[in-house]
C-alpha cells in the first residue's frame, strides 16, 4: 500500500526567465503567422517541443535549412557572432531569444579579450551556450570537471569566467586554484542568480521531505546538480525526465512527504504532472483520491508569491482554483 501523503514543489522552479522568453518569442512569431524556426531545440523538453510544433514552430539544426524570409528564433543559450552574420546574409528574419544574462556574459568575454587576458571558461564543452561564448573568445580555455584543471597554464594575466549554469561551489573552487597560477587574476562571476536561487530552494525542500524527485533532461548539467545537492542533504532522490518515468511505487520508501524540483528547461506544469503521478502510484488511499487536487495545490504554493515561476497565465489563478 502507498505511503505518500502529500507532495511539495520547490519554489522558484519552472522555466528560468531566459528559457521562458525564448519559448514565448517563438510562440508569438508563429501565432503572428510567420514561418518560424528555432535554431536548435529551444528547450530540451519533449512536451514543450511538441506544443511548439503544434503551433507550427520547426526546429532546424543549421541556418541553411531555413527558407529565405522565414523567421529564426535564437534560443536562450545564444549563438556566435558568425551565426548572426550568416543569418543576416541569408535574408532571415532573426528574433533574438538570447537570455539577457548570456548577452552580458558575451560582452564581458569580449572585453576580457580586448584587455588581453588569458581566459579560462568554466563550462561544459560543446554545450550551446559555451559554443556561443567561444565565438567571442575563440582562444579561451574551456575546462569542466576538476580533473580537467591541470590543463590550465600559468600566465601573468588571467581571467576566469563561467557558463551561467555551473554550480557556484565549482566556480569558487576553480577561482581559488587559479590564484596561484597568475600574477593578476580577474574573476568575472557569471553564475546565473536563477540557478543559485533554484539550488537554494531545492535544498530547502529536500530538508523538509522524505524523498525528492528531480525533473529534467538526463544530460542537463543544472538538473544533475540539483540531484547532487539533494544527495548532499541526505534525502533519497530520483532524477527523471517526465511523469511517465515513475512506475515503481516502492521507489519512495517510507516517505510520507515527497518534494519535487526541476531544471531550468522544465516547465512547471511538468512538476504538477509529476506530483499527481507520485500520489497516484504511491499515495495512501486518501492521497490517491485527491491526487489531482493536491498536485494543483502544490503548484499553487510553489507559484506564489512572486508568480515568476512560469509563463503560464493560468498559474496565477491556480491557488484560488485549487482552494475552490
Ligand atoms: S539559466 Fe540564467 S542565464 Fe541561463 S538561460 Fe536561464 S536565466 Fe538565462
Amino acid at each position: 500500500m502507498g505511503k505518500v501523503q502529500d507532495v511539495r514543489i520547490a519554489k522558484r522552479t519552472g522555466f528560468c526567465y531566459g528559457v521562458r522568453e525564448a519559448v514565448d518569442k517563438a510562440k508569438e512569431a508563429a501565432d503572428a503567422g510567420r514561418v518560424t524556426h528555432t535554431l536548435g531545440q529551444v528547450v530540451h523538453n519533449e512536451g514543450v517541443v511538441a506544443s511548439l510544433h503544434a503551433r507550427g514552430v520547426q526546429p532546424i539544426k543549421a541556418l541553411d535549412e531555413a527558407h529565405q524570409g522565414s523567421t529564426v528564433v535564437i534560443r536562450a543559450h545564444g549563438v556566435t557572432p558568425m551565426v548572426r552574420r550568416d543569418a543576416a546574409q541569408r535574408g532571415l528574419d532573426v528574433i533574438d531569444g538570447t537570455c539577457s544574462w548570456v548577452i552580458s556574459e558575451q560582452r564581458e568575454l569580449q572585453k576580457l579579450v580586448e584587455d588581453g587576458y588569458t581566459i579560462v571558461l568554466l563550462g561544459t564543452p560543446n554545450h550551446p551556450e559555451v559554443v556561443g561564448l567561444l565565438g567571442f573568445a575563440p582562444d579561451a580555455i574551456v575546462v569542466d570537471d576538476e580533473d580537467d584543471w591541470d590543463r590550465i597554464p600559468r600566465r601573468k594575466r588571467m581571467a576566469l569566467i563561467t557558463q551561467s549554469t555551473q554550480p557556484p561551489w565549482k566556480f569558487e573552487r576553480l577561482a581559488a586554484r587559479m590564484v596561484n597560477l597568475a600574477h593578476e587574476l580577474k574573476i568575472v562571476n557569471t553564475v546565473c542568480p536563477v540557478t543559485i536561487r533554484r539550488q537554494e530552494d531545492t535544498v530547502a525542500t529536500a530538508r523538509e521531505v522524505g524523498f525528492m524527485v528531480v525533473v529534467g533532461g538526463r544530460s542537463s548539467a543544472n538538473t544533475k546538480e540539483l540531484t547532487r545537492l539533494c544527495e548532499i542533504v541526505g534525502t533519497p532522490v530520483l532524477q527523471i525526465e517526465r511523469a511517465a518515468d515513475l512506475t515503481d511505487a516502492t521507489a519512495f520508501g517510507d516517505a510520507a512527504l515527497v518534494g519535487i524540483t526541476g531544471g531550468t528547461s522544465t516547465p512547471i506544469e511538468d512538476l504538477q504532472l509529476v506530483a499527481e503521478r507520485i500520489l497516484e502510484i504511491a499515495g495512501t488511499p486518501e492521497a490517491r483520491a485527491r491526487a489531482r487536487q493536491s498536485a494543483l495545490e502544490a503548484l499553487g504554493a510553489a507559484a506564489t508569491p512572486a508568480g515568476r515561476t512560469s509563463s503560464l497565465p493560468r498559474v496565477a489563478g491556480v491557488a484560488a482554483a485549487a482552494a475552490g
Side-chain angles (χ1 to χ4, degrees), residues 31-264:
D31 290 353
R34 291 146 86 168
V35 178
T36 306
H37 300 288
T38 57
L39 188 53
Q41 301 281 19
V42 71
V43 54
H44 292 289
N45 179 286
E46 281 173 24
V48 178
V49 170
S51 83
L52 286 171
H53 189 258
R55 286 175 122 104
V57 178
Q58 295 279 357
I60 50 171
K61 287 201 178 104
L63 290 174
D64 58 11
E65 293 172 43
H67 295 295
Q68 197 177 3
S70 60
T71 297
V72 174
V73 179
I74 294 174
R75 59 189 168 178
H77 299 312
V79 292
T80 64
M82 219 167 73
V83 170
R84 264 175 211 280
R85 278 197 297 274
D86 190 13
Q89 278 162 9
R90 288 173 186 273
L92 299 171
D93 176 17
V94 174
I95 294 182
D96 192 359
T98 309
C99 171
S100 55
W101 189 266
V102 175
I103 289 176
S104 67
E105 274 180 337
Q106 294 173 343
R107 288 197 186 124
E108 292 280 6
L109 254 182
Q110 204 163 11
K111 195 160 177 307
L112 292 173
V113 171
E114 285 161 12
D115 292 346
Y117 286 96
T118 297
I119 301 166
V120 172
L121 169 59
L122 177 64
T124 309
N126 300 324
H127 184 284
E129 183 183 324
V130 172
V131 172
L133 290 171
L134 285 175
F136 294 82
D139 296 329
I141 302 160
V142 180
V143 293
D144 190 357
D145 292 330
E146 213 158 339
D147 49 14
D148 219 13
W149 298 356
D150 288 340
R151 288 195 298 112
I152 302 172
R154 221 171 255 284
R155 292 283 184 274
K156 197 158 184 233
R157 298 178 75 229
M158 296 188 87
L160 170 64
I161 190 164
T162 176
Q163 178 189 350
S164 62
T165 47
Q166 286 288 319
W169 63 265
K170 199 166 155 191
F171 182 68
E172 284 161 23
R173 198 177 289 177
L174 178 55
R177 167 93 158 247
M178 283 184 63
V179 166
N180 289 324
L181 293 176
H183 171 66
E184 179 196 337
L185 177 62
K186 178 157 184 171
I187 297 170
V188 186
N189 186 350
T190 46
V191 176
C192 171
V194 173
T195 310
I196 297 170
R197 286 198 288 266
R198 186 174 303 249
Q199 292 175 358
E200 286 169 357
D201 288 357
T202 295
V203 166
T205 304
R207 289 202 172 111
E208 293 164 358
V209 302
F211 194 94
M212 280 295 288
V213 176
V214 178
V215 191
R218 203 166 292 125
S219 56
S220 153
N222 78 83
T223 305
K224 283 193 269 187
E225 180 61 14
L226 297 177
T227 305
R228 200 189 72 92
L229 288 171
C230 294
E231 287 166 353
I232 290 173
V233 169
T235 307
V237 57
L238 186 64
Q239 186 179 322
I240 58 168
E241 293 205 323
R242 60 190 77 77
D245 293 343
L246 290 173
T247 51
D248 181 7
T250 63
F252 307 96
D254 289 332
L257 179 61
V258 174
I260 301 152
T261 189
T264 51

